[in-house]
Amino acid sequence: MPGMVLFGRRWAIASDDLVFPGFFELSLRVVWWIGILTLYLLHRGKLDCAGGVLLSSYLIVLIVLLAVIICTLTAIVCVSMKGTICNPGPRKSMAKLLYIRLALFLPEMGWASLGAAWIADDIQCDKTVVNGIIATVVVSWIIIVSTVVTIIVVFDPLGGKMAPYSSAGPNHLDSHESSQLLNGLKTAATSVWETRIKLLCCCVGKDDHTRVAFSSTAELFSTYFSDTDLVPSDIAAGLTLLHQQQDNIRNSQEPDEVISHSPGPPQEADLDAELENCHHYMQFAAAAYGWPLYIYRNPFTGLCKIGGDCCRTRTAEYDLVGGDQLSCHFGSILQTTGLQYRDFIHISFHDKVYELPFLVALDHRKESVVVAVRGTMSLQDILTDLSAESEDLNLECGVQDCSAHKGISQAARYVYQRLINDGILSQAFSIAPEYRLVVVGHSLGAGAAALLAIMLRSSYPQLRCYAFSPPRGLLSKSLYEHSKNFTVSLVLGKDIIPRLSVTNLEDLKKRILRVIAHCNKPKYKILLRGCWYELFGGDPDNLPTELDGGAQGHLTQPLLGEQSLLTHGSPTYSFSSDSPLESPAKYPHLYPPGRIIHLEEEGTSGRFCRAAARYSARWAHESQFSKILIGPKMLTDHMPDVLMKALDSVVSDRAAYVFCPPGGGSNVDMVRQL
């Protein structure tokens, strides 16, 4: 539903968003009205004290005022329950009801002020009555303040510019006027988003990299959100419907209908070896996060184990690993990796936009020099993530079309320059010249590690890279194919990050628009059913959003309902492929790095519980991560501690399966059946 237009501007709330807040306030008002009425009826004989006439008048007027407000709220809730997201016609009276409701705040504020003034005069009446009046005044002001806060939250800074689209309809303006207004809207949106980001990241700094990141992030957000007229609850309802729809489609598929890309024999043969390597090197990727992740994983014992390192005076040996103040980080790194301080060549927790923390260590067990890059842990890292446009890279890898995610490629270049220019790798290989180089990372660190591996491969041909939960929107097609020779990525379940790219987000937006337009249920029912489904599961079959057969893929034009949710003149309005977020120059299709191992949960262990979860591992094709999947574990599957537990489980299960095959079968056959 497009945002409501009140007082000549659009607001970030729709007319069908008032069911739950209206019902909550209505319930509170009814209880309040019953309490005041009971207080008056039981104690009106005790109001013959000094000032009692004023209190009696106050209660009578308040009872009447609350009755009028209750009637208005009842009408608002009833009207808000009508229609659907794309059919606001039955709710056309909502604006008038809201004007009435807002007007009632004036006498309510005045009466609450009078009540506070009378109480301040220290009226000598029955204490029960006085205490009831005090409670009434307090509740009145709480509701008034809450309403003011709500108005501030739903205030849309672009509302004045969006009002022509919301009120006039998509066909009111000609193409020239629409184009001018759309361009002005995008410019204003970019400015608003940049201001928001600067306020949110006010402590980040103001160097050139930060200013570029602010501008890049603001442009991405403004481009993504400026061509639709959706409010946050519409997006929540769309995501809820998409989750149920995708579960319904999956449940209706026969096993042979599921598209799979079977790996060749060489890939299947080395799956166990690569899983064991992932299990080993994930410790280094986790160690790069320092003490926060270690304490999170060990909430009861972690602080005791590394507490001494937090306060201990640094010795000369500790200073060998870099000039940063490592504080608690070094202790957590030692505990996570199991190495000794002398095994570390360099540890840096320097953190700025496009500059990531990393560590370099000698891994004697695997005879490797390990470079581990930290993932997202700060606002600076988030800005690096969101600098999502593509940039060309000057690489000596013999590959055409060397382009990649701008923010991550600059972060990888920073680590590369530190490793080479500061002689860090030279120092490591002077100690262990026979070792091979291994680059690892998780999340943002995985993307930086994959690009760093591409930059270093010409100098270190035996290099290997292990990218844990890497972002999808990272490499051009040619670089993706090139990285398969030396990079292995690991993805857990429905993890959103390996499916996250600018083009996938644009696809998600279109899917949300389509599923909303197909829905014939009111929003409050969608959200109630969605909450129940997310918490307790259920049958997703009775959905009003399902498209028959493959018809969904043949819809190239927006439905009538979708047109009301799109800004006229926007590229998405025609569902063409020339959307700003699908621009081949700025936001091309990008791919995840290397060969991909996918860990999938077998069966179900509950909507959120993982205590008894078991996993299977298989090689997967990148196309299996070309759409964002909605589910309660799409975020938790990305957490490094969850990934480490899943790796522990799958590696131990596969090892047990190899050594103790059921039925006396061949070990090799059993491994391959996995």
Side-chain angles (χ1 to χ4, degrees):
M1 164 65 193
M4 282 192 299
V5 177
L6 296 171
F7 304 106
R9 65 179 303 114
R10 177 193 181 273
W11 297 78
I13 189 171
S15 58
D16 54 357
D17 283 340
L18 302 175
V19 176
F20 299 119
F23 183 78
F24 176 77
E25 185 182 353
L26 179 61
S27 302
L28 182 62
R29 297 279 186 177
V30 169
V31 172
W32 183 11
W33 183 79
I34 293 174
I36 294 298
L37 182 61
T38 303
L39 178 69
Y40 176 74
L41 293 177
L42 294 179
H43 296 277
R44 58 183 174 180
K46 300 178 182 180
L47 296 176
D48 54 356
C49 56
V53 177
L54 292 177
L55 291 183
S56 177
S57 302
Y58 176 83
L59 290 175
I60 293 173
V61 173
L62 183 60
I63 290 171
V64 174
L65 182 59
L66 283 175
V68 175
I69 292 175
I70 287 171
C71 293
T72 306
L73 287 173
T74 302
I76 289 174
V77 172
C78 292
V79 171
S80 186
M81 296 170 70
K82 296 180 180 179
T84 65
I85 296 177
C86 291
N87 179 26
R91 301 188 298 272
K92 60 184 178 180
S93 60
M94 180 61 72
K96 295 178 181 178
L97 290 174
L98 286 178
Y99 286 136
I100 294 173
R101 177 66 191 93
L102 291 173
L104 288 173
F105 272 110
L106 297 177
E108 186 175 15
M109 290 177 63
W111 216 240
S113 301
L114 285 176
W118 290 338
I119 292 172
D121 288 340
D122 193 21
I123 298 176
Q124 300 298 322
C125 280
D126 185 77
K127 287 187 177 180
T128 303
V129 177
V130 174
N131 290 336
I133 299 297
I134 293 175
T136 295
V137 172
V138 171
V139 172
S140 295
W141 281 110
I142 289 176
I143 292 178
I144 292 169
V145 171
S146 300
T147 303
V148 172
V149 171
T150 302
I151 292 174
I152 294 173
V153 170
V154 301
F155 177 79
D156 185 354
L158 300 174
K161 294 180 179 291
M162 285 291 291
Y165 293 105
S166 299
S167 60
N171 298 317
H172 177 74
L173 304 173
D174 61 38
S175 59
H176 178 69
E177 291 176 332
S178 176
S179 177
Q180 282 186 328
L181 284 173
L182 184 62
N183 290 334
L185 178 63
K186 288 182 177 179
T187 301
T190 301
S191 177
V192 168
W193 276 110
E194 188 163 356
T195 301
R196 289 170 174 170
I197 294 167
K198 287 179 178 178
L199 289 174
L200 183 64
C201 305
C202 57
C203 301
V204 169
K206 296 183 179 179
D207 57 25
D208 291 340
H209 281 171
T210 304
R211 283 191 287 269
V212 171
F214 284 161
S215 177
S216 177
T217 304
E219 186 173 356
L220 174 65
F221 283 175
S222 63
T223 304
Y224 187 75
F225 291 109
S226 64
D227 62 346
T228 57
D229 192 6
L230 295 173
V231 297
S233 61
D234 294 336
I235 298 174
L239 292 175
T240 295
L241 291 171
L242 279 179
H243 181 207
Q244 296 176 60
Q245 186 184 68
Q246 85 187 14
D247 285 356
N248 185 42
I249 293 173
R250 186 184 66 246
N251 294 341
S252 64
Q253 283 181 326
E254 297 295 333
D256 57 353
E257 291 179 354
V258 180
I259 300 175
S260 63
H261 299 266
S262 300
Q267 284 187 319
E268 186 64 25
D270 70 355
L271 178 58
D272 284 299
E274 294 295 7
L275 275 173
E276 199 281 327
N277 286 334
C278 288
H279 183 251
H280 176 76
Y281 288 115
M282 181 62 201
Q283 308 298 322
F284 291 88
Y289 282 99
W291 67 264
L293 178 60
Y294 184 78
I295 296 295
Y296 178 76
R297 292 180 59 213
N298 304 276
F300 301 109
T301 62
L303 191 59
C304 296
K305 291 181 178 179
I306 68 173
D309 292 294
C310 297
C311 306
R312 186 179 304 155
T313 302
R314 296 289 172 246
T315 63
E317 290 86 353
Y318 278 70
D319 292 336
L320 291 177
V321 298
D324 293 349
Q325 294 294 325
L326 299 180
S327 60
C328 302
H329 291 306
F330 204 177
S332 67
I333 292 172
L334 294 175
Q335 291 287 340
T336 302
T337 60
L339 301 182
Q340 303 297 319
Y341 73 85
R342 59 179 175 272
D343 297 326
F344 289 89
I345 306 300
H346 189 86
I347 301 176
S348 170
F349 277 88
H350 169 80
D351 188 14
K352 294 180 66 177
V353 177
Y354 304 151
E355 298 176 6
L356 298 179
F358 67 96
L359 63 86
V360 180
L362 299 177
D363 178 17
H364 302 296
R365 176 184 164 189
K366 292 286 187 178
E367 295 187 344
S368 58
V369 174
V370 181
V371 178
V373 187
R374 196 189 74 180
T376 302
M377 274 282 288
S378 66
L379 289 175
Q380 292 93 324
D381 299 335
I382 294 175
L383 290 172
T384 300
D385 286 318
L386 294 176
S387 297
E389 61 264 38
S390 176
E391 75 169 6
D392 294 329
L393 305 178
N394 184 18
L395 301 173
E396 298 177 0
C397 59
V399 174
Q400 301 294 325
D401 183 26
C402 293
S403 60
H405 183 290
K406 175 184 173 181
I408 300 178
S409 65
Q410 294 202 20
R413 188 176 298 113
Y414 160 77
V415 178
Y416 175 84
Q417 291 172 350
R418 290 288 307 275
L419 293 175
I420 302 302
N421 297 344
D422 294 355
I424 298 172
L425 285 184
S426 299
Q427 179 186 353
F429 283 102
S430 67
I431 299 172
E434 71 281 8
Y435 285 12
R436 73 172 180 178
L437 181 61
V438 177
V439 186
V440 303
H442 173 265
S443 188
L444 169 61
L451 279 165
L452 178 62
I454 294 173
M455 296 175 182
L456 289 169
R457 182 126 194 283
S458 60
S459 302
Y460 300 91
Q462 301 302 314
L463 174 147
R464 299 288 295 173
C465 175
Y466 292 94
F468 303 99
S469 307
R472 175 177 177 82
L474 183 66
L475 303 175
S476 63
K477 180 71 171 178
S478 56
L479 278 182
Y480 155 67
E481 296 291 346
H482 174 67
S483 68
K484 288 182 178 180
N485 299 320
F486 51 90
T487 300
V488 172
S489 292
L490 187 74
V491 178
L492 174 62
K494 293 183 178 181
D495 185 354
I496 186 175
I497 300 301
R499 297 173 170 86
L500 192 62
S501 67
V502 174
T503 49
N504 278 10
L505 280 174
E506 183 72 4
D507 170 73
L508 178 64
K509 180 171 68 175
K510 291 180 180 180
R511 287 193 287 148
I512 288 175
L513 291 174
R514 180 166 287 123
V515 78
I516 287 176
H518 256 265
C519 185
N520 58 15
K521 299 291 185 182
K523 190 190 298 182
Y524 79 94
K525 288 187 177 181
I526 298 173
L527 295 176
L528 283 175
R529 176 181 172 82
C531 289
W532 180 270
Y533 186 77
E534 297 299 335
L535 291 174
F536 307 107
D539 183 11
D541 288 341
N542 300 321
L543 282 180
T545 59
E546 183 179 359
L547 295 175
D548 295 331
Q552 185 173 356
H554 299 304
L555 289 178
T556 57
Q557 296 297 321
L559 305 169
L560 290 176
E562 290 175 76
Q563 296 182 13
S564 67
L565 302 174
L566 294 167
T567 301
H568 183 56
S570 70
T572 311
Y573 184 80
S574 62
F575 266 45
S576 64
S577 60
D578 59 347
S579 168
L581 291 180
E582 294 182 337
S583 167
K586 195 162 191 176
Y587 298 110
H589 289 277
L590 297 177
Y591 300 83
R595 297 181 298 158
I596 303 173
I597 298 176
H598 190 200
L599 303 184
E600 291 186 286
E601 187 174 347
E602 295 179 335
T604 177
S605 60
R607 308 297 283 181
F608 300 97
C609 177
R610 292 182 176 273
R614 300 188 65 178
Y615 300 88
S616 61
R618 62 183 179 84
W619 292 105
H621 191 267
E622 63 82 18
S623 62
Q624 294 173 254
F625 306 93
S626 60
K627 284 186 179 295
I628 295 174
L629 300 181
I630 309 301
K633 296 180 181 177
M634 60 188 290
L635 297 179
T636 57
D637 279 345
H638 186 68
M639 299 297 291
D641 61 309
V642 175
L643 181 57
M644 294 174 77
K645 291 177 183 177
L647 268 173
D648 290 341
S649 172
V650 74
V651 169
S652 61
D653 286 350
R654 290 178 73 91
Y657 205 74
V658 168
F659 291 111
C660 302
S666 165
N667 288 356
V668 175
D669 292 340
M670 292 301 170
V671 171
R672 294 196 174 189
Q673 288 175 16
L674 288 178

